[in-house]
Amino acid sequence: QVQLVESGGGLVQAGGSLRLSCKASGRTYSGYPMAWFRQTPGKDREFVATISRRGTSTYYGDSVKGRFTISRDNAENTVYLHMNSLKPEDTAVYYCAAGPSISGMIIDNSDASYWGQGTQVTVSA
């Protein structure tokens, strides 16, 4: 079992930056790929970024490519999402996800077995 707790959300102006953190607990954290998703009211949860269990591979959604960076520190059981050049359309609740995905990445909601409670990110114009 893995528990995930996100932090770092908040209100920021367009063009600004934020860093989200996701602290994991549980014996198998370092063996799982991790990911960030986001969701706005009335819409499906959208894939943002994923990182392999050792941090050697990453993959991003088209809408954030070049602006967001995912990283992880297995010694600290934490995965990060560095968000730069934020836009109002980045406003959403951001969720951390983990799971024993066979592909080694988490790109679809169905790839994740564990979810955090979410952290709100609001980008003002």
Side-chain angles (χ1 to χ4, degrees), residues 58-116:
T58 58
Y59 183 72
Y60 297 90
D62 288 341
S63 60
V64 306
K65 205 171 293 182
R67 300 187 298 121
F68 290 11
T69 302
I70 189 171
S71 62
R72 68 189 295 165
D73 183 341
N74 286 347
E76 296 294 328
N77 288 348
T78 302
V79 63
Y80 302 97
L81 185 67
H82 306 260
M83 306 185 293
N84 296 319
S85 301
L86 282 161
K87 305 175 182 179
E89 50 263 44
D90 294 318
T91 295
V93 177
Y94 284 71
Y95 296 92
C96 179
S101 173
I102 294 175
S103 69
M105 307 288 264
I106 297 176
I107 297 175
D108 188 80
N109 287 275
S110 61
D111 295 330
S113 300
Y114 307 104
W115 294 91

